[in-house]
Amino acid sequence: MKKFSAFACAVLLVQLNFAFAQNPSTVAHSPSPAEMGLRSGPMLGYSELTEVALWVQTTRPAQVQFRYWIEGQPYTSQLSAAVATTREDDHIAHLVLSFLKAGQRYGYELYLDGKLVPLPYRLAFQTQAHWQWRTDPPAFAVAIGSCAYVNEKEHDRPGEPYGGEFEIFTALTAKQPDVMLWLGDNIYYREPDFYSTAFMRHRNAHGRALPEWQALLAATHHYAIWDDHDYGPNDSDWTYRLKREALEIFKSYWANPAYGLEGAPGVFFQFTWADVDFFMLDDRYYRTPDDAPETPDKTMFGKTQLHWLKDALFASHAPFKIIANGSQMLNPQPGGEGFIKFKQEYADLLGWLKTAKINGVLFITGDVHRTELMRLNDPNFYPLYDYSSSPLTSGTYSADRVPANPARVEGTLVAGKRNFGMLRFEGPRKERKLTMECYDKLGKLLWQQQVKSSELQVK
């Protein structure tokens, strides 16, 4: 007779109990996750070779723990230390699981006050592969998107709800990305929120609890930057008086590996997945007002952040160096906000990429409530791309409201439709290629473009 470990039996018993609980005529009522104290999550944060970050929010003070094991190997089960959630911290828990095995997929469970919280979707995380000096880098997929508006009638603008078609997150989850990059406007502060940290926290908690988000949060590793709407008022800049508080709230609700530098706060940071380096930028904390006159001091990023970016790019040997920002980087005629409106900083960064001979740069951006791939051609440099992905669930602009864009790649404009993007990296170490894809709310492919790392080399 086959023997089962105590843990395997416990997992089977939980699954049976949960299945029976779907039929109230056969068993007594089982408490729902909300009744057990779960508000949102669990969410996966960053992943490294031997550790990952996990996040969860409860409805009340609770002791949070995770049990985790290598998939298919329940005998490797371990229980994390307990972390207490408190009212002062929005009942949020951040946990880092360390001493994990590289290149493994793990299953996990959530416990609140020692009780298992059954959830009807897959809970799994992964550690990155230790491929260096051993194999070719692994293939992996990154989802991208911006502008996620979650309705709350009491505080929304009058008329038709601005947010909708939340099934897009179900379609996105079905693509099973390894990573999700949130490119800003990940929630939308409303007028009551702008000058109240209590309401700012409420806005984040309300958005994060969206039911359609939960399966995506639980099985994909998330990295995030902000744009104006999850920083402060529309088109806000460095003068926003609650920017320090906004930063602390952002750090509470995401589990990035870093935030800014010592002496230079912000949401900018760098991380690596497989052989690709990602440079996540902060376009708000140091931003001069868009309409300010052009002077040497007019900036989107600030001197310290820009210096960090240049040195980080210098230090990178990745075949693709993905620079992520809230505002568009390469649109020569943005209509609204865009890097070109900071003419001296724009010329400085793009000119430096050429003189420093930085290979492999590609931009990804959000903000503009349409999707488009841009390409700037230079006979003395490789083509620079900017994949701008928007919106996820906020309002859309019809094609007749989209300004002309001479840099737009033909066939890549998506207007009047909510959509998300995918970046797929694959191929041998010296022949890596990136496939950029755009999908509609139901997961239907709208367009696809491929670029090889060999095409992004200084001539």
Side-chain angles (χ1 to χ4, degrees):
M1 181 176 179
K2 188 174 181 180
K3 295 183 178 180
F4 293 91
S5 69
F7 172 65
C9 291
V11 170
L12 180 60
L13 181 60
V14 166
Q15 291 173 338
L16 289 171
N17 285 340
F18 185 67
F20 285 137
Q22 309 313 300
N23 186 349
S25 65
T26 60
V27 295
H29 169 74
S30 295
S32 68
E35 290 170 329
M36 296 183 71
L38 179 64
R39 182 162 193 177
S40 60
M43 180 186 74
L44 307 185
Y46 70 84
S47 171
E48 301 291 353
L49 272 71
T50 61
E51 72 177 39
V52 301
L54 293 163
W55 177 101
V56 70
Q57 186 173 35
T58 61
T59 59
R60 53 170 174 75
Q63 293 288 322
V64 175
Q65 288 179 285
F66 291 99
R67 184 177 292 280
Y68 55 98
W69 59 92
I70 297 173
E71 286 189 340
Q73 301 179 27
Y75 56 85
T76 62
S77 166
Q78 298 185 65
L79 187 64
S80 74
V83 172
T85 65
T86 66
R87 181 179 178 182
E88 291 73 22
D89 293 326
D90 282 3
H91 299 121
I92 288 172
H94 288 254
L95 291 89
V96 174
L97 305 181
S98 301
F99 297 101
L100 303 171
K101 288 192 174 182
Q104 297 289 337
R105 292 186 180 272
Y106 285 76
Y108 70 97
E109 298 172 331
L110 170 65
Y111 289 80
L112 296 182
D113 296 327
K115 296 179 181 179
L116 175 67
V117 182
L119 294 168
Y121 40 80
R122 181 170 177 257
L123 276 67
F125 63 81
Q126 63 178 300
T127 52
Q128 293 200 48
H130 191 183
W131 62 272
Q132 296 88 341
W133 307 103
R134 292 160 175 81
T135 66
D136 284 324
F140 66 99
V142 178
I144 63 173
S146 68
C147 304
Y149 191 100
V150 180
N151 300 317
E152 189 179 33
K153 186 175 182 179
E154 181 181 357
H155 299 136
D156 291 350
R157 61 188 71 176
E160 182 180 353
Y162 191 61
E165 299 179 320
F166 301 108
E167 64 269 25
I168 193 171
F169 294 116
T170 302
L172 200 164
T173 304
K175 300 299 179 186
Q176 297 186 321
D178 299 287
V179 174
M180 172 79 183
L181 302 185
W182 296 84
L183 301 175
D185 297 340
N186 308 313
I187 53 98
Y188 276 67
Y189 289 136
R190 277 72 135 176
E191 290 81 5
D193 310 335
F194 293 158
Y195 299 104
S196 167
T197 57
F199 265 91
M200 292 168 74
R201 291 184 176 279
H202 165 77
R203 184 63 48 222
N204 279 272
H206 175 75
R208 185 60 56 83
L210 182 75
E212 291 86 348
W213 267 13
Q214 303 312 304
L216 176 64
L217 296 176
T220 297
H221 291 273
H222 299 269
Y223 299 79
I225 53 176
W226 60 19
D227 197 38
D228 51 342
H229 293 293
D230 47 348
Y231 167 75
N234 185 49
D235 294 349
S236 47
D237 51 56
W238 79 272
T239 64
Y240 176 46
R241 79 172 192 232
L242 292 184
K243 69 177 187 176
R244 295 177 184 83
E245 292 82 354
L247 177 58
E248 292 307 309
I249 293 169
F250 188 92
K251 290 162 68 174
S252 293
Y253 279 86
W254 296 101
N256 293 333
Y259 296 91
L261 302 171
E262 184 177 357
V267 302
F268 62 96
F269 65 98
Q270 180 271 337
F271 77 96
T272 301
W273 197 281
D275 62 334
V276 177
D277 285 341
F278 295 84
F279 305 86
M280 312 291 283
L281 300 184
D282 184 334
D283 67 345
R284 294 293 159 183
Y285 205 87
Y286 301 96
R287 187 188 193 115
T288 305
D290 293 335
D291 296 331
E294 188 64 44
T295 70
D297 294 326
K298 187 174 182 180
T299 180
M300 178 179 283
F301 302 115
K303 292 181 179 178
T304 300
Q305 182 179 184
L306 198 58
H307 180 70
W308 164 83
L309 175 62
K310 290 178 179 179
D311 276 1
L313 289 168
F314 250 138
S316 172
H317 300 288
F320 291 103
K321 302 171 181 66
I322 307 299
I323 300 176
N325 190 49
S327 293
Q328 289 188 322
M329 294 293 289
L330 299 184
N331 192 341
Q333 299 174 193
E337 295 190 306
F339 193 32
I340 192 67
K341 294 192 173 183
F342 300 79
K343 292 182 173 58
Q344 295 191 43
E345 194 170 68
Y346 174 91
D348 175 27
L349 178 59
L350 269 61
W352 177 86
L353 291 175
K354 299 173 185 178
T355 58
K357 299 181 178 180
I358 304 297
N359 294 320
V361 169
L362 186 144
F363 298 95
I364 56 172
T365 58
D367 175 53
V368 291
H369 299 260
R370 65 181 181 274
T371 286
E372 56 191 351
L373 178 65
M374 290 159 276
R375 181 176 59 220
L376 291 186
N377 295 311
D378 186 328
N380 300 313
F381 200 63
Y382 60 83
L384 286 174
Y385 289 90
D386 181 349
Y387 181 1
S388 193
S389 179
S390 173
L392 287 166
T393 65
S394 69
T396 62
Y397 294 147
S398 58
D400 60 355
R401 294 184 60 191
V402 175
N405 183 355
R408 184 184 301 133
V409 175
E410 185 177 357
T412 65
L413 174 64
V414 178
K417 290 184 178 180
R418 295 175 172 114
N419 65 94
F420 65 91
M422 293 288 292
L423 310 175
R424 301 186 186 275
F425 300 89
E426 58 187 335
R429 181 172 62 87
K430 294 185 178 181
E431 301 175 15
R432 296 291 266 179
K433 62 182 179 180
L434 163 63
T435 303
M436 295 172 279
E437 300 169 342
C438 178
Y439 292 89
D440 71 8
K441 66 178 182 180
L442 298 178
K444 178 184 176 182
L445 182 66
L446 299 177
W447 59 257
Q448 184 181 75
Q449 295 278 328
Q450 189 176 98
V451 60
K452 297 178 181 178
S453 59
S454 60
E455 298 171 19
L456 304 184
Q457 301 291 311
V458 177
K459 298 178 180 180

